């Protein structure tokens, strides 16, 4: 059980992220859910790298995921700001289309 605690933690973080993405209607909460899914992947990458220390694949992929997550967050926040300025809400149900009228 000692080593598998990291896999259980990763599964819990992944499940929480997916639950947020599927159940929330607020754009910011959905973005937080996506970030939790990325963090769950990072936990797995670092754990499996610790199992095989002669290979640096896990650390490399974790850095790639962190870089992609940072770029995704910057883009998502820009989109959220544009949606808020256009529709005056961040609720996904109230945004009917992505075309500015």
């Amino acid at each position: 059980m000692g080593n598998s605690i990291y896999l259980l933690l990763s599964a819990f973080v992944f499940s929480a992220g997916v639950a947020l993405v599927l159940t929330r209607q607020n754009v910011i909460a959905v973005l937080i859910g996506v970030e939790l899914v990325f963090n769950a992947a990072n936990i797995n990458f670092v754990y499996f790298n610790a199992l095989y220390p002669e290979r640096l694949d896990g650390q490399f992929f974790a850095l790639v995921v962190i870089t992609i997550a940072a770029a995704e967050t910057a883009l998502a926040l820009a989109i959220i700001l544009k949606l808020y300025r256009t529709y005056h809400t961040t609720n996904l149900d109230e945004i009917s289309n992505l075309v500015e009228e």
Side-chain angles (χ1 to χ4, degrees):
M1 171 97 178
N3 288 337
S4 65
I5 192 72
Y6 297 108
L7 297 177
L8 291 174
L9 173 67
S10 176
F12 176 74
V13 171
F14 181 81
S15 300
V18 170
L20 273 175
V21 168
L22 294 178
T23 60
R24 298 296 176 191
Q25 297 173 351
N26 190 325
V27 178
I28 297 171
V30 171
L31 179 63
I32 291 171
V34 171
E35 294 298 325
L36 284 175
V37 170
F38 282 148
N39 286 331
N42 279 340
I43 292 170
N44 278 333
F45 286 141
V46 172
Y47 171 69
F48 287 119
N49 189 56
L51 289 178
Y52 304 105
E54 65 276 357
R55 301 179 68 185
L56 294 178
D57 294 344
Q59 290 178 356
F60 173 74
F61 285 125
L63 287 174
V64 168
V65 170
I66 289 170
T67 305
I68 291 172
E72 177 258 340
T73 301
L75 281 172
L77 287 176
I79 292 169
I80 289 169
L81 286 174
K82 179 64 176 170
L83 286 174
Y84 184 77
R85 288 180 185 158
T86 303
Y87 295 103
H88 303 292
T89 185
T90 58
N91 189 347
L92 290 173
D93 287 340
E94 295 176 16
I95 299 172
S96 60
N97 59 18
L98 294 178
V99 179
E100 197 171 339
E101 297 175 2

